[in-house]
């Protein structure tokens, strides 16, 4: 297992130069394959820790993944020295998994273009996350503790391909004042037959705005609460054969304080070729600052993702398009390995 893990780490780092211009991790709710009511895969745990005891696929004790994303505005690409480097994120995650507990470390590098091209603020973020959960028949509960901070390289010039890596990995960072964060979250998941429902509160306890004290308040609870309902076909047929075409769909709503909620409609079809080999297609529409009984395309996003996996390896390709301005797109590419 250690040899496989070492090989996967080497593969991820060798892939980064070829994939650097690929894209989007600013908002995980735009992922059409993630919902707090989904369960069965280890990667559902990142949406809701209550899914941890309900893993059917992607089983193993070690998970490694890399995701690269950007937010491209084609209206701002004229005459720029690095037109494909706009709001770029590199994210690497490692998780150690047991039946009812998992420990994850996240490392991210974010390029944020500021007014003058080709000048960027570059952030390096580290987060540690501990998930624990326990399941009863048809219901499970989970809790999450996470915390970390960011470092920053301010106003760095990036006008060539080597500059990207020089600034991301080989230049000194400064402390990003006020970037420290801590959250205690709790989740629940209920499932019966083809139905499931989930709720996750990401900031049951968090740091106060000045970062000095632990804070618990209805405003933080409201803005970090997500509820979701889902329908999903069982993994196996009544004959105990693997179901070849396995659809699932969900509706989610999050953020119950502030200017409006975020709502998302998701649909996915998974083709199960073997117990450890499948191909999934997923589509979603997400709307931020949603008002009840209204349609606001100026705040909408359409996402389309394709994910395929076999023998513990999987790859994801996706695109996110703003319905307000189709010139804004966010391509996504990722790889993961679990063993």
């Amino acid at each position: 297992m250690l040899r496989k893990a070492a090989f996967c780490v080497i593969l991820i780092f060798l892939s980064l130069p070829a994939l650097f211009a690929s894209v989007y991790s600013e908002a995980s709710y735009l992922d059409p394959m993630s919902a707090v009511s989904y369960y069965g895969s280890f990667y559902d745990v990142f949406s809701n820790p209550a899914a941890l005891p309900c893993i059917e696929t992607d089983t193993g004790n070690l998970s490694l993944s890399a995701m690269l994303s950007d937010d491209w505005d084609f209206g701002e690409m004229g005459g720029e020295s690095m037109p494909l480097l706009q709001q770029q994120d590199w994210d690497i995650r490692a998780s150690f998994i047991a039946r009812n507990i998992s420990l994850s470390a996240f490392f991210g590098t974010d390029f944020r273009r500021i007014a003058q091209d080709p000048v960027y603020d570059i952030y390096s973020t580290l987060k540690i996350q501990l998930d624990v959960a326990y399941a009863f028949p048809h219901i499970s509960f989970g809790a999450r503790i996470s915390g970390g901070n960011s470092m920053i390289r301010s106003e760095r010039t990036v006008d060539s391909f080597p500059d990207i890596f020089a600034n991301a990995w080989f230049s000194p960072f400064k402390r990003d004042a006020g970037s420290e964060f801590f959250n205690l979250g709790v989740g629940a998941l209920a499932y019966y037959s083809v139905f499931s429902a989930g709720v996750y509160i990401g900031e049951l306890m968090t740091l106060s705005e000045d970062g000095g004290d632990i804070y618990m308040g209805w405003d933080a609870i409201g803005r970090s609460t997500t509820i979701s309902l889902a329908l999903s076909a069982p993994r196996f047929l009544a004959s105990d054969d693997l179901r070849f075409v396995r659809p699932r769909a969900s509706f989610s709503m999050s953020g119950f304080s502030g200017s409006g909620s975020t709502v998302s409609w998701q649909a996915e079809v998974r083709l199960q070729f073997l117990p450890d080999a499948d191909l999934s297609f997923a589509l979603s529409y997400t709307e931020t600052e949603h008002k009840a009984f209204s349609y606001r395309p100026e705040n909408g996003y359409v996402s389309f993702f394709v994910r395929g996996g076999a023998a513990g390896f999987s790859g994801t390709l996706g695109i996110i398009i703003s319905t307000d301005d189709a010139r804004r797109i966010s391509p996504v590419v990722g790889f993961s390995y679990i063993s």
Side-chain angles (χ1 to χ4, degrees), residues 138 158 201 205 217 226:
H138 305 300
V158 180
I201 303 172
M205 297 178 66
T226 300

Side-chain angles (χ1 to χ4, degrees), residues 68 89 117 123 154 178 184 207 219 240 298 327:
L68 298 124
D89 298 334
D117 173 66
Y123 296 86
S154 301
L184 170 63
L207 287 181
D219 56 339
D240 291 332
E298 67 273 15
R327 295 181 306 176

Side-chain angles (χ1 to χ4, degrees), residues 276-287:
D276 63 347
D278 56 50
L279 179 65
S280 298
F281 302 88
L283 178 69
S284 71
Y285 173 74
T286 302
E287 193 173 289

Side-chain angles (χ1 to χ4, degrees), residues 19-335:
L19 298 172
F20 85 98
S22 307
V23 293
Y24 204 101
S25 61
E26 182 179 344
S28 60
Y29 58 78
L30 296 176
D31 182 349
M33 296 180 175
S34 298
V36 301
S37 56
Y38 285 168
Y39 68 97
S41 167
F42 170 69
Y43 301 104
D44 295 325
V45 175
F46 295 106
S47 299
N48 189 347
L52 186 59
C54 309
I55 297 174
E56 300 172 340
T57 62
D58 306 311
T59 55
N61 301 114
L62 173 66
S63 170
L64 297 167
S65 64
M67 182 72 73
L68 298 124
S69 62
D70 208 317
D71 187 8
W72 294 343
D73 187 338
F74 287 97
E76 298 181 358
M77 286 190 174
E80 297 176 348
S81 57
M82 298 292 291
L84 299 183
L85 185 67
Q86 295 189 21
Q87 307 290 328
Q88 191 167 119
D89 298 334
W90 306 356
D91 297 292
I92 298 174
R93 180 183 66 221
S95 300
F96 298 92
I97 311 148
R99 177 63 177 173
N100 298 98
I101 188 169
S102 70
L103 178 64
S104 302
F106 301 78
F107 177 76
T109 300
D110 306 332
F111 291 80
R112 296 292 175 260
R113 179 184 291 168
I114 56 181
Q116 59 272 36
D117 173 66
V119 180
Y120 298 80
D121 287 340
I122 304 169
Y123 296 86
S124 179
T125 302
L126 177 65
K127 181 174 80 169
I128 303 297
Q129 176 176 298
L130 177 67
D131 294 325
V132 295
Y134 191 80
F136 300 92
H138 305 300
I139 191 168
S140 64
F141 300 93
R144 169 171 296 156
I145 299 174
S146 62
N149 63 6
S150 297
M151 306 291 284
I152 185 172
R153 294 185 179 101
S154 301
E155 300 182 0
R156 306 290 297 193
T157 299
V158 180
D159 57 7
S160 66
F161 187 84
D163 284 345
I164 295 175
F165 301 98
N167 283 284
W169 292 334
F170 304 112
S171 297
F173 280 98
K174 295 181 180 179
R175 178 176 174 269
D176 184 16
S179 67
E180 298 82 4
F181 62 91
F182 167 82
N183 294 311
L184 170 63
V186 294
L189 183 66
Y191 43 91
Y192 181 78
S193 184
V194 298
F195 302 98
S196 62
V199 59
Y200 178 63
I201 303 172
E203 297 179 6
L204 182 65
M205 297 178 66
T206 187
L207 287 181
S208 59
E209 292 186 359
D210 59 10
D213 300 309
I214 298 296
Y215 174 73
M216 183 176 181
W218 290 113
D219 56 339
I221 293 174
R223 69 171 177 258
S224 66
T225 296
T226 300
I227 58 174
S228 181
L229 302 173
L231 294 172
S232 179
R235 189 182 182 201
F236 295 96
L237 299 169
S239 61
D240 291 332
D241 293 324
L242 191 69
R243 184 185 301 272
F244 178 59
V245 179
R246 187 184 185 189
R248 68 177 180 178
S250 70
F251 170 76
S252 303
M253 178 177 291
S254 61
F256 296 92
S257 63
S259 58
S261 301
T262 295
V263 296
S264 183
W265 294 264
Q266 300 170 301
E268 178 182 345
V269 174
R270 177 177 299 180
L271 306 179
Q272 299 184 124
F273 302 105
L274 294 169
D276 63 347
D278 56 50
L279 179 65
S280 298
F281 302 88
L283 178 69
S284 71
Y285 173 74
T286 302
E287 193 173 289
T288 62
E289 298 183 16
H290 176 76
K291 302 297 184 181
F293 308 109
S294 66
Y295 170 60
R296 305 182 68 184
E298 67 273 15
N299 297 331
Y301 300 88
V302 173
S303 305
F304 178 70
F305 279 36
V306 178
R307 178 178 297 162
F313 288 92
S314 66
T316 301
L317 292 174
I319 187 169
I320 302 167
I321 302 174
S322 169
T323 56
D324 179 43
D325 185 353
R327 295 181 306 176
R328 284 194 58 198
I329 68 169
S330 300
V332 179
V333 63
F335 294 98

